[in-house]
Amino acid sequence: MTEIADRLALVHARIRAAEVAAGRAPEQVKLLAVSKTMSPTAIRAAYAAGQRDFGENYVQELVQKADLLHDLPDVRWHFIGHLQRNKVKVVATRLHMIHTVDSPKLAAELDKRLEAAAEPLATLVEVNVGREAQKSGVSPEALEQVLQAVSEAKHLRLAGLMTVPPFTDDPADARPYFDRLRELRERFGGRSVLPELSMGMSADLEQAVAAGATWVRVGTAVFGPRGRALP
Ligand SMILES: *Cc1c(COP(=O)(O)O)cnc(C)c1O
């Protein structure tokens, strides 16, 4: 097995163990491999090991990689970064899911650029549960109007909520923020309206699974540290 295949197996084992510990039904939590800064070769290695969902933070990088990897027809690209409205046009039709819609204007722009798409784009609304000034994501108070905008967009399909908690050294600190996202899901229609909760990364995926995550977004635990050159 390659190094990446080994790491993927470890991450899957962590997710399964966390599901068991939380008393959740198995295989409810999906793994998004966060491939930002990682080479197409590294992505191919993960693909060869069975991974299909990849998350990118930057438009240009996603477009380049999607082109270089177009021979992998069932790769699914997820956008997890801050999306500027003037970049929507180049990326919208390449996406399987967007995790980071945080304003009615962004929802409207995506809707417009997806007019010719065969299917509506699965859309998560990013919530700034930690209320950090420098972070993107909508505040809990303004969430309802973004949910409304996504619901009304013909070419978007409202699929759930996403959050990035404040950074801390202790993964346990993230748990209250994950709980808060799940509470917001309950307040705005529950599982039937917002089936997906995208939360948890390499350091705190166990806390996120315990709190009800359906997608964990994992970069370094799959690919190794960023900034190190991969083959
Ligand atoms: C980079 C990133 C991740 C993955 O972080 P790791 O700590 O490497 O697992 C997850 N979500 C978002 C939004 C990111 O930007």
Side-chain angles (χ1 to χ4, degrees):
M1 279 211 285
T2 67
E3 188 184 341
I4 286 173
D6 286 342
R7 288 174 175 281
L8 263 175
L10 273 173
V11 170
H12 281 295
R14 282 176 64 189
I15 293 171
R16 297 301 159 243
E19 284 178 335
V20 170
R24 296 182 58 180
E27 319 262 319
Q28 301 288 294
V29 182
K30 297 161 293 244
L31 172 61
L32 179 64
V34 175
S35 48
K36 64 180 174 213
T37 79
M38 298 300 159
S39 68
T41 309
I43 296 172
R44 283 185 192 280
Y47 181 93
Q51 181 65 30
R52 292 295 179 271
D53 292 278
F54 294 90
E56 290 283 341
N57 293 59
Y58 304 101
V59 166
Q60 227 36 57
E61 191 177 342
L62 187 149
V63 168
Q64 269 176 18
K65 286 177 180 172
D67 286 346
L68 287 165
L69 299 168
H70 73 274
D71 58 306
L72 309 177
D74 55 347
V75 156
R76 297 185 286 264
W77 295 105
H78 297 236
F79 197 78
I80 62 168
H82 176 64
L83 183 56
Q84 290 169 284
R85 272 184 291 147
N86 63 0
K87 302 255 176 80
V88 167
K89 190 181 173 183
V90 277
V91 80
T93 56
R94 298 174 192 260
L95 300 180
H96 173 75
M97 182 180 277
I98 179 161
H99 293 231
T100 48
V101 168
D102 63 358
S103 73
K105 282 181 173 176
L106 180 56
E109 182 67 22
L110 278 160
D111 194 34
K112 177 173 152 195
R113 299 299 178 186
L114 287 163
E115 231 151 45
E119 283 177 21
L121 176 63
T123 300
L124 309 184
V125 175
E126 180 180 5
V127 188
N128 184 357
V129 282
R131 300 169 194 281
E132 293 171 278
Q134 73 283 10
K135 222 170 224 166
S136 45
V138 65
S139 70
E141 291 72 33
L143 173 58
E144 188 165 18
Q145 68 192 71
V146 182
L147 292 173
Q148 186 78 29
V150 173
S151 306
E152 285 167 2
K154 248 172 95 180
H155 307 283
L156 302 181
R157 177 173 62 79
L158 181 61
L161 303 176
M162 177 271 204
T163 198
V164 182
F167 177 81
T168 81
D169 287 330
D170 183 355
D173 294 343
R175 178 66 193 264
Y177 298 100
F178 297 151
D179 287 333
R180 184 91 180 92
L181 196 70
R182 192 191 62 249
E183 289 158 15
L184 287 168
R185 189 252 297 268
E186 295 319 312
R187 170 145 31 116
F188 291 104
R191 232 174 266 242
S192 59
V193 178
L194 301 165
E196 308 290 349
L197 292 179
S198 168
M199 55 190 192
M201 311 195 249
S202 292
D204 55 18
L205 72 86
E206 282 84 2
Q207 282 76 12
V209 169
T214 65
W215 280 100
V216 290
R217 308 179 308 268
V218 182
T220 48
V222 169
F223 291 105
R226 282 183 285 277
R228 189 185 60 153
L230 277 157

